[in-house]
């Protein structure tokens, strides 16, 4: 099983990471749906990331041990990708530049995914 909890905010002091993390977790725990995700016993691993200026526009699933894509990058709004059991890495695509009909991306490795 996988789940997500996303928090978005503006104008917060990012220099105090501990205070910001406490604020985010408090907001999640005060939200019934997020709280349920956090406390769900089936979830045994956690991945955390942050972005100050932009959000990813695509994501892809990477076969870490083979160094190839397991699923082509899709819009960040697409919530399901079909892959079989295995060890994967989530890859997040951020827009680096737009020139006419061409978009260049910066790709960051996200959390490790183990699908059984």
């Amino acid at each position: 099983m996988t789940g997500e909890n996303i928090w978005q905010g503006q104008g917060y002091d990012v220099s105090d990471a501990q205070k910001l993390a406490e604020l985010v977790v408090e907001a999640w725990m005060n939200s019934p749906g997020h709280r349920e995700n956090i406390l769900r016993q089936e979830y045994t691993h956690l991945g955390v990331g942050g972005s100050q200026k932009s959000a990813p526009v695509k994501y892809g699933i990477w076969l870490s041990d083979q160094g190839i894509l397991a699923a082509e990058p899709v819009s960040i709004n697409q919530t399901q990708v079909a892959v079989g059991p295995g060890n994967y890495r989530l890859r997040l695509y951020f827009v680096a530049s737009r020139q006419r009909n061409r978009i260049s991306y910066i790709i960051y490795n996200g959390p490790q995914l183990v699908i059984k």
Side-chain angles (χ1 to χ4, degrees):
M1 273 183 92
T2 60
E4 58 79 18
N5 289 311
I6 296 175
W7 179 86
Q8 181 177 346
Q10 293 180 344
Y12 293 95
D13 180 7
V14 296
S15 66
D16 187 346
Q18 180 68 36
K19 185 175 180 180
L20 185 58
E22 289 171 6
L23 185 143
V24 171
V25 172
E26 181 181 344
W28 283 337
M29 294 306 282
N30 288 329
S31 164
H34 292 105
R35 182 181 182 84
E36 180 181 338
N37 268 353
I38 290 168
L39 298 177
R40 188 171 287 168
Q41 290 181 348
E42 293 87 357
Y43 297 153
T44 59
H45 293 77
L46 170 70
V48 177
S51 174
Q52 289 184 336
K53 302 241 179 213
S54 65
V57 294
K58 290 184 178 185
Y59 70 95
I61 307 296
W62 187 259
L63 270 166
S64 300
D65 57 346
Q66 296 179 28
I68 60 172
L69 281 172
E72 288 295 318
V74 295
S75 168
I76 202 73
N77 297 323
Q78 185 171 336
T79 58
Q80 293 185 4
V81 175
V83 293
N87 293 318
Y88 302 95
R89 169 109 21 221
L90 181 67
R91 292 174 51 138
L92 302 169
Y93 291 68
F94 293 80
V95 173
S97 66
R98 295 177 192 264
Q99 297 175 356
R100 296 187 184 152
N101 294 335
R102 181 180 161 91
I103 300 175
S104 297
Y105 299 97
I106 296 174
I107 303 169
Y108 290 102
N109 286 328
Q112 184 82 17
L113 305 173
V114 177
I115 299 174
K116 296 181 179 186

